[in-house]
Amino acid sequence: QVQLVESGGGLVQAGGSLRLSCAASGSIFSINAMDWYRQAPGKQRELVARIRNDGSINYADSVKGRFTASRDTAKKAVYLQMNILLPEDTAVYYCHYILRLRQVGPDYSYWGQGTQVTVSS
């Protein structure tokens, strides 16, 4: 059974920093993408950053230059360093993996439980 467990959210003042972590447990053959999403109250869930299996990273325009995603493939973990946080970054942040359980088989989508990030002005 694959599970993604997140940590690192909290309350921070505008201009501050937080680091989110997400690690997968269970038997995984390969991870094709490791994402961070966020969902603010009353808004749709949006993609914040994506790390593909080749190591390339894409960011939402709203976080470019402030957020940095990274991974540790040995630990099956992904991180999001968030700097210069703004009140509009307030949201529940979710990690999301697209992975394969076996060498031959479909890709699966797994989500973390979500962690609240609140930025006060």
Side-chain angles (χ1 to χ4, degrees):
Q1 184 78 0
V2 174
Q3 285 189 320
L4 304 186
V5 178
E6 300 180 40
S7 61
L11 173 64
V12 65
Q13 287 188 332
S17 298
L18 283 174
R19 186 174 188 251
L20 306 183
S21 301
C22 174
S25 62
S27 179
I28 297 171
F29 176 76
S30 65
I31 301 174
N32 297 331
M34 305 167 90
D35 305 326
W36 286 101
Y37 281 78
R38 68 185 181 186
Q39 188 165 20
K43 294 188 177 180
Q44 288 189 327
R45 192 171 296 189
E46 64 171 347
L47 180 63
V48 175
R50 166 165 287 177
I51 305 178
R52 292 180 175 78
N53 59 0
D54 65 358
S56 60
I57 307 175
N58 292 105
Y59 296 95
D61 288 343
S62 58
V63 307
K64 283 180 181 176
R66 300 187 298 120
F67 290 12
T68 302
S70 60
R71 66 179 180 178
D72 184 330
T73 54
K75 295 180 178 179
K76 295 178 285 187
V78 66
Y79 309 96
L80 187 66
Q81 178 65 43
M82 305 184 293
N83 298 328
I84 318 175
L85 281 160
L86 306 172
E88 49 263 45
D89 294 319
T90 295
V92 178
Y93 284 70
Y94 299 89
C95 59
H96 170 254
Y97 289 14
I98 301 173
L99 55 84
R100 189 166 292 183
L101 301 179
R102 299 173 183 81
Q103 183 173 6
V104 177
D107 291 342
Y108 291 94
S109 175
Y110 282 85
W111 291 89
Q113 81 277 14
T115 185
Q116 176 71 45
V117 171
T118 303
V119 184
S120 63
S121 57

